[in-house]
Amino acid sequence: HKYAVDNYGTVTIKNGTIEARGVQNFGTLVIEEGVVIKALDSNGGACVWNENGTLVINGGTFSAPASNTETSGAALVANTNGKVVINGGTFTTQSRVYAINNYSGEIEINGGNFTGARGVLAVSAGKATVNGGSFNLPADAAAYCVYSNNGAVTIKGGTFNGGAHTYCVESTGKGTITLADGTVLSAGN
């Protein structure tokens, strides 16, 4: 199996470095501040892949490599109705991929630093709530800080720094983005 850790139970990771595809979670997982995950596999997976599990991240460093496709190599992937709470940490990707991909789970972001070469937070389905954090793109990026395609994103706080050719937020398909003042952005806005 390509993941260094597969969790089907209840695990807390407090310290250490993982230099492999990372962690796949099907159970209950807590990651603390002293953890460093450098995903080495550019053909799929993520630093952390949450598959129908409950994941709490209280810090750490999550770095994904340059990727061969747009859907692999993210710092964090939420899938299959899993629940993720991020209370801090540093999440980065090097090419073509969003730092955080939410395919069908639920993500709550309360803080952290997020940098994606192609984009920062993508919600394909499911939902995400952003209460805080710093969302950054390189100056030359042609991408989005927050992108919703058939998902629902609520932005209550945080800072968003886009590149020269970037939209900070974008919604397409049936996706929506609700801003702190109650403004709802839907496809085409």
Side-chain angles (χ1 to χ4, degrees):
H1 198 278
K2 294 183 179 180
Y3 282 92
V5 176
D6 272 330
N7 176 45
Y8 290 87
T10 301
V11 172
T12 298
I13 303 174
K14 294 184 177 181
N15 285 300
T17 299
I18 296 173
E19 292 184 355
R21 187 176 264 193
V23 178
Q24 189 170 31
N25 180 49
F26 297 91
T28 300
L29 176 65
V30 177
I31 298 176
E32 298 293 349
E33 187 173 344
V35 175
V36 175
I37 299 176
K38 297 176 184 177
L40 301 179
D41 186 350
S42 63
N43 293 313
C47 294
V48 180
W49 186 288
N50 191 61
E51 185 79 26
N52 206 19
T54 300
L55 170 65
V56 177
I57 297 176
N58 292 321
T61 302
F62 308 88
S63 176
S67 176
N68 296 329
T69 71
E70 294 181 3
T71 59
S72 65
L76 171 68
V77 171
N79 200 27
T80 318
N81 302 313
K83 169 79 173 166
V84 177
V85 177
I86 300 172
N87 295 315
T90 301
F91 301 79
T92 59
T93 59
Q94 296 177 13
S95 69
R96 296 191 71 181
V97 172
Y98 285 84
I100 298 176
N101 271 321
N102 183 359
Y103 294 122
S104 61
E106 181 178 343
I107 296 177
E108 177 183 327
I109 300 172
N110 298 311
N113 293 305
F114 307 89
T115 303
R118 179 173 181 260
V120 183
L121 170 63
V123 180
S124 299
K127 64 181 182 175
T129 302
V130 178
N131 296 312
S134 178
F135 299 80
N136 305 288
L137 290 167
D140 61 347
Y144 310 101
C145 284
V146 177
Y147 174 72
S148 177
N149 178 23
N150 299 321
V153 179
T154 301
I155 299 174
K156 298 180 179 179
T159 58
F160 302 87
N161 303 300
H165 307 286
T166 302
Y167 296 101
C168 279
V169 295
E170 170 76 344
S171 59
T172 61
K174 296 180 181 178
T176 61
I177 297 175
T178 303
L179 304 179
D181 66 359
T183 301
V184 178
L185 304 176
S186 57
N189 290 327

